[in-house]
């Protein structure tokens, strides 16, 4: 599922579950009711539902350089918030403009409730390679009550239920360790978090986990060994390792020096990932038509691979 498709699917399901705006035919990219304005940069606040905890400073400086040279490629999206504005989408562009000291920024103003804000922020960020599992897990928690079941939520996100529960495993961690993840969100993967959650069923595990966590932060213990460290302290068998498909990068797409997507494959999938704003609507349709035509051709000759 492409980033644009994922965003549309999230929007569609949110509308179904809310049973609101049924006659407006709205989705996350809707145009009705929008106003195109130049707004003071300092009058805009971040999206309170932004899943990203850390913004890469080097990437922001590169984006700022691109904006300084070529201008703002796409407006940010905001909603009214009293006498100020809140970002719905485009926080990296807003931060880059702040770095440049720009007084104003091009913006589209739209009405958006909290649920739509949370869904938009998650959809905008999920396909970026540097968004951590922990950040995604927090964002999923914010929108889960908008869906009638975990199965529907997983479907809307393009994830399996098993994978969804791994994202949700971070909530089982004690508050002090989640605070440490806020500072280093990439410290623990969702698979490692799921292993740790199973260990925490034993009340004796918590002191061992805090000891292991200190070693993890110091680089003395790998995250994949965190649950094993706790299990050993409890005198239990090491949990079965989480199996993960090995994905091999084949190509990296860039435009004007900026990373916009990748091509990769694992044992079961050939994956093309593109950023939401990498293609126009017409280009997206051309790409879909090309892939459909390609798949309509005769399948690969199995004998070529010797299988």
């Amino acid at each position: 599922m492409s980033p644009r498709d994922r965003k549309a699917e999230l929007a569609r399901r949110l509308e179904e579950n809310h049973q609101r705006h049924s006659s407006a035919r709205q989705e996350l990219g809707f145009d009705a009711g929008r106003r195109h304005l130049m707004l003071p940069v300092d009058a805009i606040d971040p999206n309170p539902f932004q899943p990203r905890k850390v913004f890469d400073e080097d990437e922001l400086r590169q984006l700022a350089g691109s904006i300084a040279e070529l201008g703002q490629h796409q407006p940010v999206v905001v909603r009214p918030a009293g006498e100020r504005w809140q970002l719905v989408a485009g926080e990296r562009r807003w931060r880059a403009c702040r770095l440049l000291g720009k007084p104003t920024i091009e913006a589209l103003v739209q009405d958006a409730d909290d649920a739509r804000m949370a869904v938009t922020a998650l959809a905008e960020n999920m396909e970026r390679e540097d968004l951590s599992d922990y950040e995604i897990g927090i964002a999923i928690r914010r929108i889960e009550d908008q869906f009638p079941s975990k199965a529907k939520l997983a479907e809307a996100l393009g994830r399996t239920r098993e994978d969804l529960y791994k994202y949700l495993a971070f909530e089982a961690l004690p508050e002090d360790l989640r605070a440490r993840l806020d500072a280093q969100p990439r410290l623990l993967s969702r698979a490692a978090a799921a292993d740790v959650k199973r260990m925490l069923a034993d009340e004796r595990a918590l002191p061992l986990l805090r000891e292991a966590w200190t070693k993890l932060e110091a680089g003395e213990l790998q995250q994949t060994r965190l649950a094993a460290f706790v299990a050993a302290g409890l005198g239990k068998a090491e949990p079965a390792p989480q199996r993960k498909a090995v994905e091999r990068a084949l190509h990296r797409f860039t435009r004007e020096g900026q990373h916009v997507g990748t091509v990769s494959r694992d044992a079961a999938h050939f994956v093309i990932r593109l950023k939401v704003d990498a293609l126009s609507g017409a280009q997206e349709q051309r790409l879909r038509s090309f892939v459909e035509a390609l798949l309509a051709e005769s399948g690969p000759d199995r004998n070529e691979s010797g299988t």
Side-chain angles (χ1 to χ4, degrees), residues 131-283:
L131 189 63
S132 71
D133 289 351
Y134 173 64
E135 292 166 320
I136 293 175
I138 292 174
I140 289 174
R141 281 296 187 192
R142 286 172 173 162
I143 68 169
E144 65 175 329
D145 61 353
Q146 310 302 322
F147 296 84
S149 67
K150 293 292 193 299
K152 292 294 185 182
L153 174 58
E155 183 181 351
L157 294 171
R159 299 290 194 269
T160 65
R161 275 195 296 177
E162 179 185 13
D163 203 30
L164 176 68
Y165 281 112
K166 290 177 185 177
Y167 283 114
L168 300 179
F170 290 101
E171 194 166 272
L173 296 174
E175 185 176 349
D176 61 309
L177 295 187
R178 292 203 306 272
R180 289 155 81 170
L181 271 179
D182 285 340
Q184 300 183 73
R186 301 191 68 82
L187 197 62
L188 197 68
S189 71
R190 63 188 184 276
D195 286 341
V196 168
K197 180 181 179 180
R198 288 194 289 272
M199 291 293 99
L200 288 175
D202 190 322
E203 62 182 14
R204 299 171 300 158
L206 195 52
L208 290 165
L209 176 59
R210 289 193 171 101
E211 180 184 353
W213 200 278
T214 299
K215 291 180 177 294
L216 176 65
E217 291 176 325
E220 299 172 1
L221 186 69
Q222 294 182 353
Q223 59 161 303
T224 54
R225 303 296 299 168
L226 199 65
F229 181 95
V230 175
L234 295 174
K236 295 183 177 181
E238 179 178 341
Q242 296 285 339
R243 297 186 63 186
K244 182 178 180 181
V246 177
E247 189 172 283
R248 181 165 59 93
L250 300 177
H251 185 71
R252 180 182 176 93
F253 295 114
T254 60
R255 183 174 61 195
E256 298 173 353
Q258 299 295 312
H259 168 64
V260 296
T262 57
V263 177
S264 60
R265 71 182 303 163
D266 59 29
H269 300 93
F270 181 84
V271 182
I272 299 176
R273 290 191 178 94
L274 294 173
K275 291 184 179 179
V276 173
D277 58 358
L279 299 176
S280 67
Q283 288 173 323

Side-chain angles (χ1 to χ4, degrees), residues 46-55 87-92 94-95 117-118 120-122 124-126 128 131 135 138-139 142:
N47 185 335
F49 303 100
Q50 168 64 252
R52 189 176 301 280
K53 298 294 183 181
V54 178
F55 287 82
L87 280 168
V88 177
E91 184 160 342
R92 292 176 69 253
W94 172 70
R95 287 176 177 265
M117 291 275 283
T120 304
L122 178 57
E124 184 182 36
N125 281 284
M126 276 195 74
R128 285 186 55 81
L131 189 63
E135 292 166 320
I138 292 174
R142 286 172 173 162

